[in-house]
Amino acid sequence: MTVHVLNQLSLWVEGDLSASEMTAIDGHLAGCPACREAAEDLRASQAWLRDAMAAPFNASDHERLQQRVMGQIRNEVSPPLVRRFIFRRPLLAATAAALLLVTLTWTHRRPLEATPKPLPWVPGAGTGTMLPPDPAPPPTRQASTHPTPPRPQARPTTPNPPEIPARIEFQTADPTIRIIWLAQTTPLPEPTPIFEEKS
Amino acid sequence: MCPGTEAVLMEEGLSSLPGAPAEGPLEQLARRIRAGEVEAFAELMTCTQARVLALAWRILGDRHLAEDAAQETYLRIFRSMNTFRMGERFEAWMVRIAVNVCHDLARKRGPLPVPVEALAILEGNAAPMGAEDSVLLDQRRALIHRALASLPQAERSALVLRDLEGHSTEAVARTLGVQPATIRSQVASARAKVQAFCARLLKPTNGGRP
């Protein structure tokens, strides 16, 4: 009685059996027309499978894929440095923005209204004498942080008050940090004597 | 086209030491990418994208979905490049990622689309004897696509990797994370189903094979 090998043909067709099993099936197929026809059908369908599943992509498809992937990869690689530097340090970012704004403001020489006006300090003030414009010793940061209390007698009344440093304040993202900028927009005048020499 | 041949490596002084496991071009590219050379990834794609695209299309059965899968595969490869163990075959690692991506997309999409228009042609003329060869070929291709679409996802992946991609049964088993005996069973079942599908619709009723 012949034992058919139909159940093993789907492994035999691609050589997925051991050598002895392959030999045995080959021997059976040589003498069994029914199994041989089934084996030929299986071989044909495998050939059709390979033919039908040939990839439909061409060089332009490959190029497009590569451009898409590399574009995304380059985006992923480069921005984190910028993101880390700016967005993860709000204080630094706020400071940088404030300094940039101050620089622009100073460049355009825009007058500021809310600027406290430090008054010139005069030795012996309080005598009621009118003072000439301050020879304007260059104001220092220290002077601005400890301003001299304004004295009514020393309030300048001249039509052309001397240029005083602009005081610009910016509140950063950190409520405990405030940036104060003092800017002198014109050259300092020539120093003049406070008191005229008596001849 | 791909760098990393033995001659090039000898010139660059990077040739593997005698007795050390040979490192192929893809592994060399992987080493460069891990060292931070992003542009080496473009070379890697040039060497491999035809296979990745074809694999994705064969598993998913849809051209646009296959392109999405290939893109996602390469992005996953780049992002997880540090997890690639040097000494392992890069191609096997890449195929494993591609298959996982395809399975993820297939799960999201649901059942495979069936080219019903091709089936309508076949059902209207079950014995296409005497038809033009090109029409017959188109019918066969549509029929194969439909037969593959009818397979369970596991059988389809096993069949694609084993018979269309040419991997060994053991390699397919490693890629899919199953035993080789399971792969043998799956591919045998898939081959028989494809053949039966084709025989039912293409075999002429009055003798002869198309």
Side-chain angles (χ1 to χ4, degrees):
Chain A
M1 178 179 174
T2 303
V3 178
H4 292 292
V5 292
L6 295 174
N7 290 339
Q8 293 176 286
L9 287 181
S10 53
L11 289 174
W12 163 87
V13 72
E14 294 291 343
D16 287 326
L17 297 172
S18 65
S20 61
E21 290 171 322
M22 294 291 288
T23 304
I25 290 178
D26 287 337
H28 175 82
L29 292 177
C32 180
C35 287
R36 191 162 59 244
E37 184 181 357
E40 288 172 0
D41 286 346
L42 200 51
R43 275 182 171 158
S45 70
Q46 286 294 104
W48 297 347
L49 175 68
R50 291 193 172 89
D51 172 72
M53 297 308 289
F57 302 102
N58 55 32
S60 66
D61 296 321
H62 299 165
E63 182 67 24
R64 191 174 62 249
L65 172 66
Q66 188 165 334
Q67 285 177 355
R68 285 162 60 186
V69 171
M70 290 308 296
Q72 192 155 347
I73 284 177
R74 290 186 187 107
N75 280 342
E76 288 183 11
V77 168
S78 56
L81 292 176
V82 179
R83 279 204 295 268
R84 274 201 299 271
F85 192 71
I86 292 180
F87 297 108
R88 295 183 185 179
R89 289 174 169 75
L91 177 61
L92 184 62
T95 305
L99 287 175
L100 178 64
L101 189 59
V102 165
T103 305
L104 290 174
T105 304
W106 189 41
T107 304
H108 291 291
R109 300 182 177 182
R110 189 176 63 188
L112 298 175
E113 293 181 355
T115 304
K117 297 179 178 178
L119 298 174
W121 180 84
V122 179
T127 58
T129 57
M130 294 296 288
L131 297 173
D134 189 11
T140 63
R141 187 184 183 89
Q142 186 180 2
S144 64
T145 54
H146 303 285
T148 305
R151 304 167 70 178
Q153 296 83 358
R155 194 174 297 277
T157 56
T158 53
N160 294 319
E163 289 288 340
I164 57 174
R167 178 188 174 95
I168 305 167
E169 298 185 8
F170 285 93
Q171 180 62 54
T172 64
D174 187 343
T176 63
I177 297 178
R178 171 172 290 194
I179 297 173
I180 301 173
W181 185 274
L182 299 176
Q184 183 77 32
T185 58
T186 57
L188 296 174
E190 290 295 325
T192 56
I194 296 176
F195 302 103
E196 292 181 359
E197 290 182 8
K198 293 180 180 178
S199 57
Chain B
M1 178 156 46
C2 298
T5 60
E6 194 64 21
V8 173
L9 294 176
M10 290 286 284
E11 287 180 4
E12 296 175 350
L14 296 174
S15 178
S16 54
L17 294 172
E23 199 170 62
L26 296 183
E27 287 76 15
Q28 289 286 340
L29 286 171
R31 192 181 292 279
R32 287 168 56 194
I33 295 165
R34 286 174 58 153
E37 193 177 336
V38 175
E39 294 309 313
F41 200 81
E43 296 180 40
L44 179 79
M45 287 192 68
T46 301
C47 294
T48 58
Q49 61 190 351
R51 291 198 69 178
V52 171
L53 267 172
L55 172 64
W57 177 71
R58 287 164 177 163
I59 290 179
L60 293 167
D62 180 88
R63 182 188 179 99
H64 298 295
L65 203 56
E67 290 178 340
D68 290 344
Q71 180 174 352
E72 176 62 22
T73 296
Y74 280 111
L75 291 176
R76 279 197 200 179
I77 288 173
F78 182 79
R79 290 166 185 159
S80 55
M81 186 61 80
N82 285 335
T83 66
F84 171 66
R85 289 173 299 187
M86 299 308 296
E88 187 184 358
R89 283 190 64 237
F90 182 84
E91 188 178 357
W93 184 71
M94 179 183 69
V95 168
R96 205 155 50 236
I97 291 176
V99 170
N100 288 337
V101 169
C102 290
H103 287 177
D104 290 347
L105 289 179
R107 269 193 296 273
K108 288 179 185 171
R109 178 199 51 191
L112 286 167
V114 175
V116 290
E117 68 284 355
L119 187 67
I121 294 173
L122 290 171
E123 287 172 342
N125 181 14
M129 296 298 290
E132 293 290 336
D133 286 347
S134 60
V135 176
L136 186 61
L137 282 174
D138 288 343
Q139 288 180 343
R140 279 181 186 170
R141 286 173 182 155
L143 188 62
I144 292 291
H145 291 171
R146 183 171 169 78
L148 281 178
S150 70
L151 296 177
Q153 185 64 59
E155 289 187 5
R156 178 176 177 128
S157 296
L159 185 71
V160 166
L161 289 170
R162 176 69 185 87
D163 289 357
L164 299 177
E165 298 294 322
H167 297 289
S168 69
T169 299
E170 288 71 23
V172 176
R174 282 194 298 272
T175 298
L176 298 179
V178 296
Q179 294 296 318
T182 304
I183 297 300
R184 266 191 288 276
S185 170
Q186 288 173 340
V187 294
S189 172
R191 288 167 189 160
K193 286 177 182 174
V194 169
Q195 191 272 329
F197 200 97
C198 296
R200 191 168 70 244
L201 292 175
L202 273 183
K203 197 160 189 177
T205 55
N206 48 0
R209 206 167 32 241

